[in-house]
Amino acid sequence: MSKSTKTRRIHQADYQRAYREQQKAIRKPTRDDVARLALYFMIREGLKDGHERSLADWCETLTNGLVEQGFDPEATLHRLHQLIDRYADGWSFQLKRHLTQHTVRQPQSNCIPPITPSNAVDV
């Protein structure tokens, strides 16, 4: 590896580290944070009575999109069904506890009610 490549990588690593610290300090959610919460709400809504068809349609759309990206269709469906089953069995949204340690007000995500057997639907 040339000196300039090595130097560039060191500078890039420093920049990336500083950027992550800055994002953490301003408490800006990552793309994955937004995606996790969106997935939770999509599944939670789909588990409500009368929404089974929309959940199935959503799973089909999501599976097709992941298959187009090269993922195995059966493995994709298996993973989706694992997540849906977890939420149906009462698994609630997984909060990032380190974000709630120093907050003045509680984030809205703490107000998300867990799925219980009374509001879950078998999929």
Side-chain angles (χ1 to χ4, degrees):
M1 185 168 17
S2 71
K3 178 129 173 118
S4 64
T5 301
K6 191 174 186 178
T7 303
R8 184 178 53 80
R9 287 186 179 170
I10 290 170
H11 287 297
Q12 180 60 33
D14 290 342
Y15 169 82
Q16 189 64 40
R17 196 174 302 107
Y19 177 78
R20 285 188 185 127
E21 286 299 317
Q22 175 198 41
Q23 297 303 296
K24 185 177 176 182
I26 63 173
R27 304 175 68 82
K28 182 178 180 182
T30 66
R31 175 187 61 193
D32 290 346
D33 294 327
V34 174
R36 286 175 43 244
L37 189 57
L39 175 66
Y40 171 78
F41 281 121
M42 290 296 295
I43 292 174
R44 194 178 101 190
E45 286 300 310
L47 289 173
K48 290 181 179 177
D49 287 334
H51 292 96
E52 298 87 359
R53 184 71 240 157
S54 63
L55 181 60
D57 291 344
W58 177 78
C59 285
E60 183 178 343
T61 301
L62 188 57
T63 300
N64 290 339
L66 289 167
V67 168
E68 286 176 17
Q69 293 179 37
F71 290 98
D72 178 73
E74 295 301 318
T76 300
L77 278 174
H78 180 72
R79 175 65 71 210
L80 282 172
H81 287 232
Q82 279 181 322
L83 287 168
I84 291 168
D85 289 344
R86 278 184 170 184
Y87 284 122
D89 289 342
W91 192 54
S92 63
F93 183 73
Q94 304 300 300
L95 299 176
K96 290 188 168 185
R97 295 287 177 208
H98 66 280
L99 293 175
T100 59
Q101 290 175 356
H102 304 290
T103 57
V104 174
R105 66 175 184 81
Q106 291 295 331
Q108 287 183 341
S109 59
N110 277 349
C111 302
I112 299 170
I115 295 174
T116 62
S118 63
N119 66 4
V121 175
D122 290 331
V123 178

